[in-house]
Amino acid sequence: MNTLHKNDIIRLRIEALAFGGQGVAHTDEGFTVFVRNALPEQEVDVKIVKKRKNYAEAIINRVVSASRFQVEPRCSYYGACGGCLLQHLDYAEQLVQKQRQVIETIEHIGGFQDLTMLSIMPSPEQYYYRNKMEFSFSNRRWLTHSEISSQQIFDNNFCLGLHAPGRFDKVVDVHCCFLLSERSNLVLNQIRAFAKNSQLAPYTTQDHSGYWRFVVIRESKQLDGMMVNLVTAADSAGDRLLEQLAQQLTTTFPFITTVVHNINKKKAQIAVGDEERILFGPGYIEEKLDDLIYRISANSFFQTNSAQAENMYRLIAQWGDFNKDQVVYDLYCGAGSIALFIANKVQKVVGFEIVAQALRDAELNSRINRIANCEFVEGDLKDQFADPAKVLARYDWPAIIIIDPPRSGMHPSLPDKIVQLQPNTIFYVSCNPATLARDLKLICQDKYRIDLIQPIDMFPHTAHCETVVRLLKK
Ligand SMILES: C[S@@+](CC[C@H](N)C(=O)[O-])C[C@H]1O[C@@H](n2cnc3c(N)ncnc32)[C@H](O)[C@@H]1O
């Protein structure tokens, strides 16, 4: 029985970072406490803010002794902005913590034992590594500590930036972000000034009124190209304004190669439109990985860290031990990035994906790169794989299956269908160790074994970690 209560103040030594980035510590009785913003080896006085049966959550009241891994965050929004939760942790230690989390999660949730894992692959860049950022408009501005202490008066009813940690209703007004590129900040600030000057308000989920919803900036890291995607509610007066905004932006910033307008008529706060208008340029940008060119539209998935995505695809190409007799399935193929990367090594790749626009990009990408042995199929994977015998009859037996699902992992019916197809090798690419572990458990059973695990840091300063796992048939 533990004697901890909400609002208790206790002293703890932080042992490690838990999945999600919180510090983890144990009381003298062995009770687990997760501490927000804490760092490994810190000694802290904490206040318990939540008490559950098996764990408690706490916030730091006072740091008694600092962590030797603590560094000065580069960004002035650090702490208020939910973008980079680990910027105060030395990068080498971020890697140590992520590596440990991946193995512990796979062992704990997946029920595996004595796994060995390769050393985590550091990101080639620690700042300005992203090729895409999504900024939100809001009428509920979240002030940083320095903004509050400056005693200036701020307009709290209009802001454009990133969400406060865990607060989907509060947005920090971000003028400078170190994740995308320096020039993208100039674009962001001009859009904010224009939108604020308009007579239109930010969209709000309080009563679903307002116009401005998101700005998504996408940028090629290896080629020249920037896409500005303005996501709004439906309003014809606003549509005319956006045409002016597009003209203003492309005149001021000649490096913007395309501007698109996505109109989201739904209540759900997502940066995807029901309709898309191209306001300037071709409506897409192109990125280069190895010697392949990828065309990317506003709503297609593309890995956000181009340099690290290239490293990851090279790893799959190398580990696949592919040959020209093999058929490969690429599940959750997006715009065909992995399929095209390995196409010249195999007989045929069949890509499966739910987003039609991504598949159009995948087909175009095949043509641009003169690749003729990839086929892309649209639909929900749980329906496409409902009958494995039909899949085999239609697309041939896959010697290798590559699975790269969204954070939520695979539909629960899918692991069994994949096992029924009996590929020799399965690659599971995941951005969420918890769903990865759950799905590996379902796939492996007595049929497959984990052969190689490679954690990859795609997202420095965040608590996220990418992992590639190779499974072999027993
Ligand atoms: C993590 S991305 C991987 C994309 C691609 N493999 C790459 O590296 O660029 C996951 C993809 O799964 C797609 N997706 C999500 N749910 C799906 C489903 N139920 N059926 C098929 N595809 C789905 C998404 O649209 C997205 O393109």
Side-chain angles (χ1 to χ4, degrees):
M1 252 288 281
N2 82 84
T3 51
L4 214 53
H5 297 101
K6 190 171 171 185
N7 294 329
D8 281 355
I9 307 267
I10 55 168
R11 184 161 295 184
L12 294 170
R13 185 177 164 77
I14 306 298
E15 295 150 24
L17 286 192
F19 180 57
Q22 296 195 12
V24 61
H26 290 90
T27 63
D28 293 341
E29 298 155 305
F31 195 72
T32 306
V33 185
F34 295 105
V35 185
R36 289 177 209 162
N37 296 324
L39 294 176
E41 297 190 12
Q42 236 174 10
E43 201 177 354
V44 278
D45 287 340
V46 302
K47 180 176 167 183
I48 303 296
V49 291
K50 202 183 265 180
K51 170 75 196 308
R52 293 278 184 264
K53 191 163 161 246
N54 296 322
Y55 69 93
E57 284 178 27
I59 53 171
I60 297 177
N61 241 10
R62 187 170 78 93
V63 176
V64 180
S65 66
S67 163
R68 67 192 161 108
F69 305 117
Q70 182 161 354
V71 293
E72 192 58 36
R74 178 171 178 173
C75 176
S76 63
Y77 302 103
Y78 170 76
C81 169
C84 297
L85 295 179
L86 302 183
Q87 241 192 58
H88 61 329
L89 181 62
D90 178 58
Y91 185 60
E93 185 61 18
Q94 289 181 25
L95 296 174
V96 169
Q97 294 297 327
K98 288 185 186 188
Q99 167 112 12
R100 196 190 41 71
Q101 281 165 18
V102 170
I103 194 115
E104 278 183 13
T105 310
I106 296 178
E107 290 190 346
H108 181 66
I109 298 179
F112 298 95
Q113 278 175 349
D114 305 322
L115 293 175
T116 49
M117 187 163 81
L118 293 156
S119 291
I120 187 166
M121 201 190 276
S123 173
E125 287 115 6
Q126 291 163 29
Y127 288 99
Y128 301 123
Y129 61 85
R130 288 186 68 100
N131 57 34
K132 178 186 171 193
M133 289 283 288
E134 184 179 306
F135 301 95
S136 305
F137 285 101
S138 174
N139 65 352
R140 304 187 77 190
R141 177 169 174 173
W142 183 257
L143 294 178
T144 65
H145 284 304
S146 63
E147 283 168 344
I148 294 167
S149 53
S150 74
Q151 299 197 332
Q152 277 183 58
I153 313 260
F154 294 98
D155 174 2
N156 290 342
N157 296 320
F158 199 109
C159 63
L160 172 59
L162 298 166
H163 286 272
R167 296 297 304 261
F168 293 101
D169 56 338
K170 295 281 187 185
V171 170
V172 179
D173 200 43
V174 171
H175 290 246
C176 170
C177 174
F178 293 111
L179 294 189
L180 190 54
S181 67
E182 283 186 85
R183 63 187 194 174
S184 63
N185 291 316
L186 304 174
V187 176
L188 183 73
N189 294 334
Q190 180 151 331
I191 296 171
R192 175 190 298 100
F194 183 97
K196 207 168 169 183
N197 247 332
S198 74
Q199 297 304 309
L200 299 168
Y203 183 84
T204 166
T205 48
Q206 288 145 305
D207 60 2
H208 300 283
S209 66
Y211 182 66
W212 303 98
R213 297 186 81 155
F214 301 95
V215 173
V216 187
I217 302 179
R218 269 191 133 145
E219 202 174 10
S220 172
K221 293 289 180 191
Q222 322 260 22
L223 300 171
D224 238 4
M226 181 187 278
M227 172 193 288
V228 176
N229 176 12
L230 304 160
V231 186
T232 69
D235 181 329
S236 51
D239 293 354
R240 285 191 294 279
L241 266 184
L242 287 204
E243 285 149 27
Q244 283 173 33
L245 172 58
Q247 207 198 349
Q248 198 188 91
L249 285 172
T250 49
T251 310
T252 317
F253 306 114
F255 53 79
I256 298 177
T257 48
T258 192
V259 181
V260 298
H261 177 201
N262 267 269
I263 303 168
N264 178 0
K265 298 176 182 167
K266 299 198 176 75
K267 289 184 174 171
Q269 269 293 58
I270 49 165
V272 178
D274 308 279
E275 277 173 42
E276 182 172 298
R277 297 193 301 151
I278 297 175
L279 302 179
F280 178 81
Y284 59 81
I285 57 164
E286 289 182 335
E287 181 60 296
K288 187 166 181 276
L289 301 186
D290 265 2
D291 50 0
L292 291 171
I293 304 288
Y294 291 94
R295 182 171 290 190
I296 311 160
S297 310
N299 297 322
S300 292
F301 176 89
F302 194 79
Q303 288 287 352
T304 47
N305 182 338
S306 297
Q308 193 68 316
E310 191 172 58
N311 288 335
M312 182 168 86
Y313 297 161
R314 283 180 186 153
L315 179 91
I316 295 170
Q318 189 195 332
W319 280 4
D321 203 14
F322 296 107
N323 68 57
K324 290 278 183 190
D325 294 327
Q326 291 166 333
V327 172
V328 178
Y329 289 179
D330 180 9
L331 272 52
Y332 307 91
C333 68
S337 319
I338 302 177
L340 299 175
F341 207 88
I342 56 160
N344 67 357
K345 300 181 187 314
V346 299
Q347 186 201 114
K348 174 171 94 168
V349 190
V350 189
F352 299 86
E353 164 66 44
I354 200 166
V355 174
Q357 197 180 45
L359 283 178
R360 281 200 294 277
D361 283 351
E363 271 149 19
L364 262 163
N365 287 333
S366 304
R367 285 205 285 281
I368 294 169
N369 293 289
R370 298 172 197 282
I371 292 171
N373 63 339
C374 289
E375 179 181 352
F376 296 101
V377 190
E378 184 187 334
D380 188 326
L381 266 158
K382 79 169 178 349
D383 305 327
Q384 289 173 316
F385 278 57
D387 184 348
K390 278 194 187 150
V391 178
L392 282 180
R394 200 149 169 202
Y395 305 111
D396 299 330
W397 173 72
I400 299 179
I401 296 186
I402 300 165
I403 308 166
D404 184 6
R407 284 189 68 72
S408 52
M410 301 170 79
H411 186 271
S413 66
L414 269 171
D416 178 52
K417 310 286 180 193
I418 283 162
V419 172
Q420 286 184 46
L421 293 169
Q422 300 185 35
N424 293 333
T425 308
I426 299 174
F427 282 99
Y428 196 125
V429 182
S430 163
C431 59
N432 182 347
T435 53
L436 168 70
R438 178 200 69 196
D439 292 348
L440 289 179
K441 185 178 184 179
L442 293 172
I443 296 171
C444 284
Q445 312 254 9
D446 56 347
K447 300 272 190 324
Y448 286 86
R449 66 176 175 86
I450 295 179
D451 174 46
L452 290 165
I453 308 176
Q454 174 68 73
I456 298 175
D457 191 24
M458 282 279 179
F459 320 102
H461 313 301
T462 74
H464 299 293
C465 188
E466 193 84 6
T467 311
V468 176
V469 180
R470 184 169 80 175
L471 302 171
L472 297 180
K473 192 157 71 180
K474 279 186 181 168

